[in-house]
Amino acid sequence: MIRNAMSEREVRYKLGAVQFVSAETFGRPGRRTFRLVAEAGRAQSFIWLEKEQLLQLGLFLQQAVRQLGDSAQSRPSAPGEDSWIGDPLEQDFQARQMQLQYDQDANCFVIHAFEGEEDDPNAGAQTSVSFWMTMTQSSELADAALRICASGRPPCFLCGRPIDPEGHQCDRASSHAIFETG
């Protein structure tokens, strides 16, 4: 089972198997916001992320799918929980922590997203969701996340910081050099 170092935390809303999961971005480069959209049965969750969180999720999913190989990709996925059948539910929150697991028996990934930090005393009152993704959904989410992250501002070849559309005064270049995108 692939798992990060976070300890097991209680999840408030277990959405089960998703029918739809995607990464989205809004705004222009340098001012974008990022989110995951997950739909499972009668539940919909909008999980807002930092660009770095989305990038790391995409990279990890892509690497994990590759490491699991063709045998896992050709095997059917059987999520360990059915889709949400409770009252209609809509969650919209900023994820401060995320956990990703792979369930070998189900051949699925499970995402856990938490609004608060692990040691936050109000963690029980905050929003947290989990949902199951098939191998195909996981691979498609990884591709979408990486494509979205790559479509932002290009990095400066000297300092690595993003170059804004208005230009970039690089600290590593002469103070008179200004780089522009184009």
Side-chain angles (χ1 to χ4, degrees), residues 153-182:
R153 299 173 291 170
C156 172
F157 67 95
L158 291 175
C159 70
R161 291 190 359 232
I163 300 175
D164 290 321
E166 299 83 34
H168 166 70
Q169 189 166 356
C170 181
D171 296 336
R172 297 192 70 192
S174 132
S175 62
H176 300 291
I178 296 178
F179 301 105
E180 295 180 4
T181 59

Side-chain angles (χ1 to χ4, degrees), residues 14 22 34 38 53 74 79 87 96 120 122 137 144 156 165-166:
K14 295 182 178 185
S22 182
F34 305 86
Q53 286 176 298
S74 62
D87 291 335
R96 300 282 180 230
D120 189 333
N122 298 321
Q137 289 170 325
C156 172
E166 299 83 34

Side-chain angles (χ1 to χ4, degrees), residues 7-14 99 112-114 123-124 126-129:
S7 63
E8 199 67 36
R9 290 178 64 187
E10 186 64 32
V11 174
R12 192 168 191 189
Y13 300 105
K14 295 182 178 185
Q99 182 180 26
H112 304 270
F114 301 93
Q126 296 173 338
T127 303
S128 57
V129 298

Side-chain angles (χ1 to χ4, degrees), residues 23-25 30-36 47-58 93-98 117 145 148-149 153:
E24 298 179 334
T25 186
R31 306 256 186 263
R32 297 189 301 168
T33 56
F34 305 86
R35 74 178 182 186
L36 292 179
I47 305 165
W48 295 90
L49 308 166
E50 296 295 327
K51 180 179 180 180
E52 186 63 26
Q53 286 176 298
L54 184 61
L55 177 63
Q56 292 303 316
L57 176 64
F93 69 99
Q94 173 77 35
R96 300 282 180 230
Q97 285 189 318
M98 295 184 71
E117 299 292 334
I148 284 172
C149 290
R153 299 173 291 170

Side-chain angles (χ1 to χ4, degrees), residues 140-151:
E140 289 170 355
L141 178 59
D143 292 344
L146 295 175
R147 186 175 48 255
I148 284 172
C149 290
S151 69

Side-chain angles (χ1 to χ4, degrees), residues 48-140:
W48 295 90
L49 308 166
E50 296 295 327
K51 180 179 180 180
E52 186 63 26
Q53 286 176 298
L54 184 61
L55 177 63
Q56 292 303 316
L57 176 64
L59 288 171
F60 186 82
L61 276 172
Q62 183 184 60
Q63 180 183 15
V65 169
R66 281 187 187 151
Q67 283 180 343
L68 291 167
D70 292 335
S71 63
Q73 293 178 39
S74 62
R75 233 176 65 219
S77 292
E81 295 176 13
D82 293 331
S83 295
W84 182 269
I85 57 171
D87 291 335
L89 176 69
E90 185 173 307
Q91 296 298 312
D92 192 338
F93 69 99
Q94 173 77 35
R96 300 282 180 230
Q97 285 189 318
M98 295 184 71
Q99 182 180 26
L100 182 66
Q101 295 175 288
Y102 173 70
D103 186 303
Q104 188 171 357
D105 295 334
N107 194 34
C108 290
F109 287 93
V110 183
I111 289 183
H112 304 270
F114 301 93
E115 185 176 25
E117 299 292 334
E118 188 171 10
D119 56 356
D120 189 333
N122 298 321
Q126 296 173 338
T127 303
S128 57
V129 298
S130 67
F131 54 88
W132 293 71
M133 301 181 301
T134 65
M135 288 295 285
T136 300
Q137 289 170 325
S138 300
S139 184
E140 289 170 355

